[in-house]
Amino acid sequence: MSEIRNPLEIYAALAKINCGQCGVPSCLAFAAAVLQGQKKLAACPALASEVVAQLSRRLVPRRTLEDDSQQVIRQLRQEVAGLDFSLVAPRLGARLVEGNLVINCLGKDFLLTPSGEMLSDCHLNHWIYVPLLHYVLLCQGSEPQGEWVPYGSLPGAVEWSQWFSHRCEEALRQLADAHRELVFELLHLFGAKPVAMSGGADHALLILPLPRVPFLINYWEPEDGFPSKLNILLDRSAGKNINAQSINLLARGIIEMFRQLILRHSREGKLF
Ligand code: SF4
């Protein structure tokens, strides 16, 4: 029995009435969603159970991004479970509380149990969970050197550099342009401190996504017809305390969190 690779093979078996009872607006969209593993065939009430069974046998389960990140988290948790927290706490800049590690991330405490389970009042997602676990495993305890460098100059960052510039720096610049007051309020809420320096930027803020991974956010407001500018610099020591991919995830996580908060709290209730 051949594997289904094309949504049209599923579509051929559907009623083609676009009734929407499956939760998507059309039979074609439903067929595509089934192939991508986002919908189950049984969600279409017009499909006979024998046809569902027959087609299901030809569908190969797809791995989703969520599956991948859960697998990474499981592996990292196993590695963390082998650590002696009393030895690693000082180099992480973390506290030891009743055998658990307490790590401050953006001014909020995250508690890591000896089995690698993460607990916090904040919403936990893979943007924060994966970098925190990598930080625990990789951090050499290197102190900030006061040398601010672009993300791309950190070890292993070259291949992520464009992504960082587009999805993190540019995304934050656009948010700051559209919701300046709210973005700076949020940064202060998450522990950002103004820094006197930084290439004439109108706003220079130091934040600590992790105790030994400081970010410096520089923002130049638009002026005289020139567009705004924003960059996120890292202390050179960050490369010894975490990997480049996790820095990317952290930055992306902060921006995603800001997007959600802006959607909820801006007067217009929209991003742009
Ligand atoms: S419920 Fe079935 S018939 Fe209705 S739109 Fe979805 S796939 Fe098509």
Side-chain angles (χ1 to χ4, degrees), residues 258-272:
F258 280 18
R259 281 171 173 266
Q260 299 303 323
L261 290 169
I262 288 169
L263 274 174
R264 234 178 285 154
H265 298 294
S266 73
R267 237 170 275 134
E268 304 80 23
K270 57 183 185 181
L271 289 175
F272 304 109

Side-chain angles (χ1 to χ4, degrees), residues 111-205:
L111 186 142
L112 189 69
T113 69
S115 66
E117 190 186 357
M118 191 82 69
L119 305 171
S120 168
D121 291 341
C122 300
H123 176 63
L124 272 177
N125 60 33
H126 79 285
W127 303 106
I128 187 70
Y129 206 164
V130 171
L132 264 165
L133 291 171
H134 270 135
Y135 179 68
V136 171
L137 291 165
L138 302 174
C139 181
Q140 296 176 21
S142 187
E143 294 286 345
Q145 297 166 9
E147 187 188 351
W148 295 105
V149 296
Y151 170 79
S153 65
L154 294 176
V158 172
E159 63 174 305
W160 297 94
S161 184
Q162 261 197 323
W163 201 91
F164 185 83
S165 144
H166 181 65
R167 302 293 294 275
C168 302
E169 292 174 312
E170 176 58 16
L172 187 55
R173 183 190 73 81
Q174 289 178 5
L175 281 183
D177 281 1
H179 306 275
R180 193 166 312 147
E181 226 172 277
L182 195 46
V183 165
F184 285 101
E185 256 177 51
L186 288 172
L187 282 165
H188 288 296
L189 191 70
F190 288 106
K193 300 270 182 289
V195 176
M197 53 163 291
S198 240
D202 297 308
H203 305 267
L205 291 171

Side-chain angles (χ1 to χ4, degrees), residues 6-18:
N6 189 322
L8 292 179
E9 292 179 70
I10 300 168
Y11 180 69
L14 299 176
K16 305 176 192 63
I17 52 175
N18 302 331

